Amino acid sequence: MTLVAFSNFIDGAFDTPTATFESIDPSTGAPWATMPAATEADVDRAVEAAHRTLHSAAWASLTATARGKLLVRLGDLVVANAGRLAELETRDTGKIIRETRAQIAYVGDYYRYYGGLADKHEGSHLPIDKADMDVTIRREPIGVVAAVVPWNSQLFLSAVKLGPALAAGCTVVLKASEDGPAPLLAFAELVHEAGFPAGSVNILTGFGHDCGRRLTSHPLVSRVAFTGGPSTARAIVRNTAENLAYTTLELGGKSPVVVFADADLDSAANAVVAGIFAASGQSCVAGSRLLVEHSIKAEFLDRLKHKAEAIKIGDPQDPATEMGPLATPRQREWIENIVAESLAKGGTLVTGGKRPDEHPHGFYYAPTIIDGEDSALPCVREELFGPVLSVLAFDTEAEALALANDTPFGLASGVFTTNLAKAHRMARDIHAGVVWVNTYRAVSPLVPFGGYGQSGLGREGGLDAIRDYTRSKSVWIRISDEPIPDPFVMR
Ligand SMILES: NC(=O)C1=CN([C@@H]2O[C@H](COP(=O)(O)OP(=O)(O)OC[C@H]3O[C@@H](n4cnc5c(N)ncnc54)[C@H](O)[C@@H]3O)[C@@H](O)[C@H]2O)C=CC1
Ligand SMILES: CN(C=O)/C=C(\CC(=O)O)C(=O)O
């Protein structure tokens, strides 16, 4: 079978790669494409192009309004090409087509949102406490941005970086994950078609230890926007010791979903399924810890077991499929090891815990529920990034809250109750960047997103994200005609 060949997009052109690697279709386990493995020299060319463009007359002459229009155009192109990009993402990552189509069509709204904001983030004029001075604060683009993303939801996770970065007037080098990079390399064609000047957006893929390391430590990079795992985040922070780049980190989670006895249990069960089995659990916000009130535990687990066992597992390109494979064999082995260890240490398997017999090829893993009853079990502590739900029970609201916060992570959470006061108390007291009440896994370009603790640093989405791609310049203008008084004291 002929493999489809992809290229890096550097300085406005698609390169002939010097090194390549094969990309595997997770639903078959067979290679289907060759991807460029960006070398350190490729990274240098991309960063130099971004830096040159940032300081070019062409970029400087693009007003914020004009940049905004380019972003809106890019959003429109993403929507128009959502079907094609979705097929590529599904092929390269195994994420089901139902989800990739819908998610990518919505990604268009992220570019439109930041396009609209491009000429609305303003500097300020200060009511300065000195009569002979006039002080304004300019907000200037921070510089060249290195955006580094993982393999799940790559178009989405790129949009929350590229959108505010370009709106702020930065130029960007975006590194797609070495796992499933096809949709981002195809997205580069749309950047080109939208009319962004050569060098303003560069997109490449390669491995973390050389391409990622060089990019995030490059002396011409001023800003790193990273999404990925906590151990990679530590490596990135060490890399940025070289360039002192301002860095934001969107990391993993072990998000609790708290179901009280007074909840609408049908709705809660659907939300729990959405939280842990959608995207085969490969979501940073996966609701991987179910905390359920003791009095309804048996009934609720029974509902979940039936729903989990009814999930249609299959070809991710089939619109009827509800759960596809995991993205990589490495991911599946990690999950299998943690599940085996958790069962050996006393966890009770409610359902799943194995590769589905009817899918011997590809990296499939069955929807799995483990009744924990011990919050020290590895499946309760570790982020699995897979379709594995751990269940713990509580008797009181205080106990539910303590369990919810019993994790070094703090990305997302869900609370299911019909008691408004209880919902507000839980929303106030849960240590997480997002609390969903009577819903789960809802996102919007308008809403900031990010974690507490080991789940990261900084926020993406929403108005304030643009600010993180700017830095302030304070301009002091003396407006007195009198000569400067005593030169030996601070003004
Ligand atoms: N908070 C959020 O918004 C999200 C967080 N994630 C997290 O991402 C993780 C899963 O994705 P993976 O691809 O396995 O993550 P990963 O951390 O292994 O890789 C992420 C990216 O970092 C690059 N990288 C690896 N080593 C590097 C280095 N030394 N220097 C620079 N770059 C390097 C990789 O090539 C890839 O592009 C999970 O922990 C998940 O929770 C995933 C999606 C969203
Ligand atoms: C990051 N996110 C919300 O802002 C949710 C995602 C993206 C991801 O995990 O990659 C999701 O649930 O898929």
Side-chain angles (χ1 to χ4, degrees):
M1 183 182 132
T2 315
L3 302 185
V4 183
F6 287 83
S7 312
N8 290 324
F9 181 68
I10 299 177
D11 204 8
F14 286 93
D15 263 11
T16 305
T18 45
T20 60
F21 63 95
E22 288 183 348
S23 208
I24 308 293
D25 177 340
S27 68
T28 61
W32 75 280
T34 59
M35 299 296 168
T39 60
E40 294 193 359
D42 294 328
V43 172
D44 286 352
R45 274 193 307 117
V47 175
E48 283 157 19
H51 191 257
R52 207 169 40 247
T53 304
L54 183 72
H55 298 286
S56 68
W59 191 247
S61 68
L62 260 188
T63 60
T65 309
R67 274 200 318 276
K69 286 182 180 163
L70 288 179
L71 277 166
V72 170
R73 175 127 208 272
L74 181 59
D76 293 345
L77 286 168
V78 168
V79 174
N81 288 274
R84 186 170 66 89
L85 293 173
E87 272 171 35
L88 285 173
E89 183 169 3
T90 294
R91 186 81 193 266
D92 218 13
T93 67
K95 190 169 188 170
I96 58 171
I97 194 81
R98 255 156 106 150
E99 162 122 311
T100 52
R101 273 198 198 127
Q103 192 182 45
I104 294 173
Y106 195 40
V107 161
D109 279 9
Y110 281 76
Y111 286 109
R112 291 167 176 156
Y113 175 79
Y114 284 109
L117 283 182
D119 57 7
K120 291 165 197 73
H121 69 106
E122 301 166 335
S124 54
H125 181 254
L126 303 187
I128 193 72
D129 57 344
K130 300 173 198 312
D132 62 341
M133 298 286 186
D134 185 273
V135 178
T136 52
I137 307 292
R138 295 167 57 86
R139 298 233 53 110
E140 301 192 338
I142 196 165
V144 173
V145 175
V148 180
V149 294
W151 43 268
N152 64 316
S153 309
Q154 295 197 47
L155 282 152
F156 174 79
L157 297 169
S158 306
V160 291
K161 299 173 177 58
L162 260 59
L166 293 164
C170 298
T171 56
V172 183
V173 180
L174 168 64
K175 181 197 161 322
S177 170
E178 60 274 37
D179 297 317
L184 275 188
L185 297 174
F187 163 76
E189 294 162 18
L190 306 185
V191 168
H192 191 57
E193 197 180 331
F196 281 93
S200 54
V201 182
N202 305 272
I203 302 180
L204 41 76
T205 190
F207 296 92
H209 59 87
D210 47 6
C211 163
R213 189 199 50 74
R214 178 63 183 161
L215 177 58
T216 52
S217 59
H218 199 289
L220 297 179
V221 164
S222 306
R223 168 80 166 90
V224 173
F226 172 72
T227 299
S231 67
T232 311
R234 289 192 180 83
I236 299 246
V237 170
R238 282 192 290 273
N239 298 344
T240 57
E242 298 300 318
N243 54 14
L244 300 179
Y246 178 88
T247 301
T248 49
L249 306 168
E250 292 292 339
L251 312 179
K254 196 71 203 175
S255 300
V257 181
V258 185
V259 179
F260 287 98
D262 61 22
D264 173 339
L265 296 191
D266 250 350
S267 184
N270 276 341
V272 171
V273 167
I276 191 64
F277 299 131
S280 305
Q282 301 168 115
S283 160
C284 56
V285 296
S288 51
R289 288 187 301 140
L290 168 64
L291 312 178
V292 59
E293 196 159 339
H294 243 130
S295 58
I296 55 156
K297 180 181 164 191
E299 182 201 340
F300 195 66
L301 264 191
D302 205 43
R303 281 179 200 242
L304 284 181
K305 180 174 184 304
H306 280 101
K307 282 185 186 288
E309 289 172 356
I311 289 173
K312 289 194 198 79
I313 303 173
D315 177 359
Q317 298 282 3
D318 179 347
T321 296
E322 294 171 332
M323 226 179 90
L326 297 164
T328 63
R330 181 181 79 241
Q331 190 65 18
R332 184 167 63 175
E333 276 158 33
W334 159 250
I335 291 166
E336 286 175 331
N337 288 338
I338 297 282
V339 168
E341 215 187 310
S342 303
L343 297 181
K345 288 187 171 163
T348 306
L349 191 63
V350 177
T351 187
K354 63 186 180 76
R355 303 176 181 194
D357 301 329
E358 58 281 20
H359 297 286
H361 305 295
F363 314 135
Y364 289 88
Y365 193 76
T368 297
I369 301 176
I370 299 175
D371 192 351
E373 288 308 340
D374 173 2
S375 52
L377 286 183
C379 63
V380 177
R381 309 299 318 165
E382 300 282 349
E383 181 187 41
L384 277 83
F385 222 58
V388 179
L389 178 69
S390 301
V391 183
L392 297 172
F394 64 86
D395 286 309
T396 64
E397 186 182 325
E399 217 183 314
L401 182 65
L403 284 173
N405 288 338
D406 182 21
T407 171
F409 294 107
L411 192 58
S413 56
V415 177
F416 288 83
T417 177
T418 48
N419 179 328
L420 188 64
K422 190 155 53 177
H424 274 282
R425 284 193 299 272
M426 291 295 286
R428 182 194 60 195
D429 295 337
I430 287 183
H431 298 163
V434 179
V435 183
W436 285 297
V437 177
N438 294 332
T439 186
Y440 205 83
R441 203 168 170 238
V443 296
S444 163
L446 286 72
V447 181
F449 175 87
Y452 282 33
Q454 298 294 300
S455 291
L457 200 60
R459 296 290 178 266
E460 292 188 323
L463 287 175
D464 290 347
I466 292 194
R467 217 178 160 80
D468 275 358
Y469 289 88
T470 67
R471 58 185 150 207
S472 69
K473 180 184 277 175
S474 308
V475 181
W476 292 76
I477 301 180
R478 186 157 179 269
I479 53 174
S480 166
D481 291 332
E482 299 301 314
I484 290 185
D486 185 353
F488 298 105
V489 294
M490 190 191 261
R491 300 261 75 77

